[in-house]
Amino acid sequence: MSENKDFKPYIPAEKVTPEITVTSVIVGVLLAIIFGAANAYLGLRVGLTVSASIPAAVISMAVIRIIMKKNSILESNIVQTIGSAGESLAAGAIFTLPALFLWAAEGKGENPGLLEITVIALCGGILGVMFMVPLRNALIVKEHATLPYPEGTACADVLLAGEEGGTNASTVFKGMGFAAIFKFIVDGLKLVPSEINYTFKSLGGQIGTQIYPALIGVGYIVGPRIASYMFVGGLFGWCVLIPIILLFGSDIVMYPGTTTIAQIFADSGPSGIWGSYVRYIGAGAIATGGLISLIKSFPLICSTFAQAMKGLKNSGGRGTARTEQDLPMNVILISIAVVALVIWLFPAIPVNLAGAIMIVVFGFFFATVSARMVGLVGSSNNPVSGMAIATLLIATLLLKSMGMTGIEGMTGAIAIGSVICVIAALAGDTSQDLKTGYLLGATPKKQQIGELIGILASSLAIGGVLYLLHKAWGYGTTEIPAPQATLMKMIVEGIMGGDLPWSLVFIGVFIAIGIEIVGVPVMPFAVGLYLPVQLNACIMIGGIINLLMNRRKNVDQKTKDAQINDGTLYCAGMIAGEGLVGIALAILAILAVFTIDPSAPLKGFSLGTIGSIVVLALIILTLLKSSLWGKNRVRK
């Protein structure tokens, strides 16, 4: 595809405006840490992450244009570039690294050190950016007309709208504030139960919903289609599989349970059956969904790699215009070589030099795939989980063939998978940011430096976040299910010959295949099957609100789009606000050993189910107030 010669960026190449400044770096680093921590918390709770680029761009405009009284769209762009790097690095890390904590909790090893987590995240982050630099000309410039990069283009639109007048920062901050209050009422003061449940006694199934603002925000952002697939997956698990298990196996003692199924139900209700059996069925479905998405993408993967390599061959001889300047190739090659040496010499990643080179080559392949796929279908549909599963399969088999079995081989496979996962996540994020910069007229080299700054900051912070959440609640618990990491742990254990209920896993495999055959997207259904139905129902509420706002009649499309966008910004704020309070409550949960407990003065007092319903209604009303009844309300 030839480059579009008629394209002109918003800021011409000959015009030089501030980009990397003290203000943009400080604000960007703060947002990288904040959104990285919030996304880590969200991903470990829900199994989904959301892009932080647009809320970061909105906040940067508020700081730079309103508070600092500056007028530089490229400075705001650097802020969102640095900020979104933290969110993407966290997304890559949480898919795999919590598996190490899970093994330590089982007494099979020790918790990973902060240095170990930082080095793994940093290696993957640096490689993800460095691999994307030579691909920029091939994917962003040459294929500008064919690769839309939805999030990158949307972020540029938000920044341009702010440049032309006003920002929506107040909407984001409102979402953060209200979500923080609701989260603190539910999980801090414990004034109301966090779930509303109804058990069908004759059936044995259960339905209900959680009342968390972040989950409603996720449902609103992903939309009714994805939310409904997740909800149906949860409904299938809790109102079909659990009753079937009870009906036909009540008197059976089946591994991994240690008592009869009827006794498990009597002791723990439907959640006991879900934790003992349905969760493994869901894990098999998720693994199959990840591999199916990878197989379906294989023709695109092959063509992508071929086109990218062709683009690399023709990428020489670029001009010296500001908008064409990338990091020098010698810096890229030296950085890749240094990271490869670190991977080889770092004890936590047990590979020889050939293995380190293999990780680099494999990482470049997946970085290329990730960068082009997000250009076509957006970051939300990037099959990072599938890439991680494929990497773990290969890495575990390789380490096993080298004689590395047991916990040493399993932790080594997770470390290798973590590096690849972060590479894929960062390559996708970097490509979206470079698309934003290309549309605005940013200097690519400065954006690439901004990505590295964000990676460094979030790499130093992610270990502390993971330790906080583990220390407060533990991974694999109701509070922090860590679905992807638990799945990766199960895959590695299964290959290494560990204890796995394979019959349950294969039931999930064939359910996923059947779902794929009838044309339903497997991954959201499988994630819904793996997670509690109450969590999926709360996400569904957000999806329904989005659906109803889209389906309204007698409202012009411009007003409708503006209202839906306000809702998206408010929901992004809710996700960040709840994530930050979740981190704060994790700190308090640790300090509770020293009698610091915010709910202590209200011990024993609860508003009950009625209070939960009221809180849920207030969350919905605040969302409607900031979108449907906000500044873009219909004028009669």
Side-chain angles (χ1 to χ4, degrees):
M1 177 64 65
S2 60
E3 182 181 350
N4 184 1
K5 300 295 183 182
D6 297 327
F7 172 75
K8 300 293 182 184
Y10 181 75
I11 303 292
E14 60 272 12
K15 183 178 179 180
V16 179
T17 64
E19 292 186 63
I20 295 184
T21 62
V22 174
T23 302
S24 63
V25 170
I26 291 174
V27 177
V29 166
L30 286 174
L31 292 180
I33 295 171
I34 290 170
F35 283 111
N39 229 21
Y41 175 79
L42 179 71
L44 290 166
R45 263 187 58 78
V46 187
L48 296 172
T49 57
V50 295
S51 174
S53 294
I54 291 177
V58 168
I59 292 171
S60 71
M61 286 189 294
V63 173
I64 291 171
R65 289 178 59 84
I66 299 174
I67 299 175
M68 305 295 294
K69 304 296 183 184
K70 292 184 176 182
N71 185 22
S72 174
I73 192 172
L74 299 187
E75 201 172 349
S76 296
N77 180 53
I78 287 292
V79 172
Q80 73 83 18
T81 298
I82 297 173
S84 64
E87 159 258 319
S88 296
L89 184 136
I94 61 170
F95 282 174
T96 48
L97 287 174
L100 302 178
F101 291 93
L102 289 167
W103 279 319
E106 294 173 0
K108 295 178 180 177
E110 296 181 355
N111 286 329
L114 288 174
L115 178 63
E116 179 181 340
I117 295 171
T118 299
V119 170
I120 289 173
L122 197 58
C123 285
I126 292 172
L127 288 178
V129 175
M130 292 303 168
F131 289 152
M132 189 55 217
V133 174
L135 294 172
R136 185 191 70 85
N137 194 52
L139 298 180
I140 306 298
V141 179
K142 298 292 184 184
E143 297 203 58
H144 170 62
T146 56
L147 293 179
Y149 285 97
E151 287 90 349
T153 301
C155 192
D157 290 340
V158 169
L159 288 167
L160 287 169
E163 186 77 359
E164 291 162 4
T167 74
N168 296 306
S170 62
T171 306
V172 178
F173 287 121
K174 282 179 187 175
M176 292 177 70
F178 279 117
I181 293 169
F182 291 132
K183 175 72 172 176
F184 190 69
I185 289 172
V186 176
D187 284 349
L189 299 177
K190 301 187 189 317
L191 273 175
V192 299
S194 61
E195 290 183 359
I196 304 166
N197 286 311
Y198 179 77
T199 301
F200 303 99
K201 293 182 180 178
S202 59
L203 180 68
Q206 190 177 74
I207 191 69
T209 181
Q210 295 184 357
I211 57 168
Y212 291 109
L215 300 183
I216 292 176
V218 168
Y220 185 94
I221 290 172
V222 301
R225 185 168 173 267
I226 298 299
S228 63
Y229 292 144
M230 291 184 67
F231 180 63
V232 170
L235 207 61
F236 183 74
W238 286 70
C239 293
V240 177
L241 291 180
I242 289 177
I244 286 174
I245 291 169
L246 275 172
L247 181 63
F248 294 105
S250 59
D251 298 325
I252 297 173
V253 178
M254 184 171 68
Y255 181 84
T258 55
T259 60
T260 64
I261 290 172
Q263 188 60 48
I264 293 173
F265 184 80
D267 293 340
S268 307
S271 61
I273 305 297
W274 170 79
S276 297
Y277 304 110
V278 176
R279 201 159 57 97
Y280 290 96
I281 297 173
I286 290 177
T288 306
L291 292 175
I292 286 174
S293 68
L294 209 57
I295 291 168
K296 288 170 69 176
S297 304
F298 195 71
L300 177 60
I301 289 170
C302 294
S303 62
T304 290
F305 202 71
Q307 289 178 20
M309 294 304 97
K310 184 178 179 182
L312 278 177
K313 289 180 183 177
N314 302 326
S315 62
R318 300 179 203 172
T320 56
R322 179 183 59 79
T323 53
E324 297 176 10
Q325 296 172 5
D326 290 299
L327 287 172
M329 188 56 71
N330 60 343
V331 171
I332 296 167
L333 295 175
I334 291 171
S335 299
I336 293 172
V338 169
V339 172
L341 287 173
V342 171
I343 292 173
W344 171 36
L345 298 173
F346 193 59
I349 310 176
V351 294
N352 54 24
L353 183 59
I357 294 172
M358 184 201 76
I359 291 174
V360 171
V361 172
F362 217 59
F364 179 66
F365 175 74
F366 277 139
T368 306
V369 172
S370 177
R372 193 164 198 273
M373 287 199 72
V374 301
L376 285 170
V377 297
S379 297
S380 300
N381 297 305
N382 192 11
V384 173
S385 293
M387 297 179 198
I389 291 169
T391 301
L392 282 179
L393 291 171
I394 295 171
T396 309
L397 289 170
L398 178 66
L399 292 174
K400 190 175 182 180
S401 68
M402 293 166 56
M404 294 181 65
T405 56
I407 190 62
E408 183 188 12
M410 293 192 296
T411 55
I414 287 293
I416 293 169
S418 299
V419 174
I420 299 293
C421 212
V422 175
I423 288 173
L426 256 298
D429 172 73
T430 303
S431 60
Q432 295 283 9
D433 289 339
L434 289 174
K435 179 71 168 187
T436 302
Y438 182 68
L439 293 169
L440 298 178
T443 308
K445 180 170 71 174
K446 293 181 179 179
Q447 277 195 283
Q448 291 149 10
I449 293 171
E451 291 280 356
L452 294 173
I453 292 170
I455 287 164
L456 178 61
S458 51
S459 294
L460 293 171
I462 190 64
V465 172
L466 291 178
Y467 258 91
L468 273 175
L469 296 175
H470 173 67
K471 184 74 174 175
W473 296 299
Y475 297 121
T477 60
T478 304
E479 291 85 358
I480 307 290
Q484 278 88 351
T486 306
L487 169 66
M488 304 304 173
K489 169 182 175 285
M490 290 171 61
I491 289 172
V492 173
E493 286 177 340
I495 296 172
M496 285 291 186
D499 237 358
L500 259 187
W502 283 106
S503 58
L504 296 173
V505 172
F506 277 108
I507 288 172
V509 168
F510 288 107
I511 287 175
I513 292 172
I515 290 296
E516 177 64 28
I517 289 171
V518 299
V520 174
V522 176
M523 280 306 288
F525 176 89
V527 170
L529 180 59
Y530 184 87
L531 293 171
V533 68
Q534 297 86 353
L535 186 151
N536 295 309
C538 195
I539 291 174
M540 188 68 217
I541 291 170
I544 290 171
I545 294 171
N546 183 298
L547 176 67
L548 295 176
M549 289 184 66
N550 266 301
R551 289 281 178 91
R552 287 172 301 149
K553 297 178 180 178
N554 303 321
V555 179
D556 66 275
Q557 193 60 43
K558 184 177 179 181
T559 300
K560 192 185 294 186
D561 289 343
Q563 291 173 340
I564 291 171
N565 180 64
D566 285 344
T568 300
L569 291 174
Y570 184 82
C571 287
M574 286 205 299
I575 291 167
E578 182 179 323
L580 293 177
V581 174
I583 299 296
L585 290 176
I587 297 171
L588 290 176
I590 296 168
L591 295 177
V593 177
F594 306 102
T595 69
I596 299 177
D597 182 359
S599 65
L602 300 170
K603 275 294 187 206
F605 178 76
S606 173
L607 296 175
T609 302
I610 298 298
S612 298
I613 294 172
V614 170
V615 169
L616 180 62
L618 288 173
I619 294 170
I620 295 170
L621 286 173
T622 59
L623 171 55
L624 293 175
K625 177 65 176 68
S626 292
S627 54
L628 188 62
W629 306 323
K631 60 182 179 295
N632 290 306
R633 66 173 61 91
V634 179
R635 291 175 173 81
K636 295 181 180 179

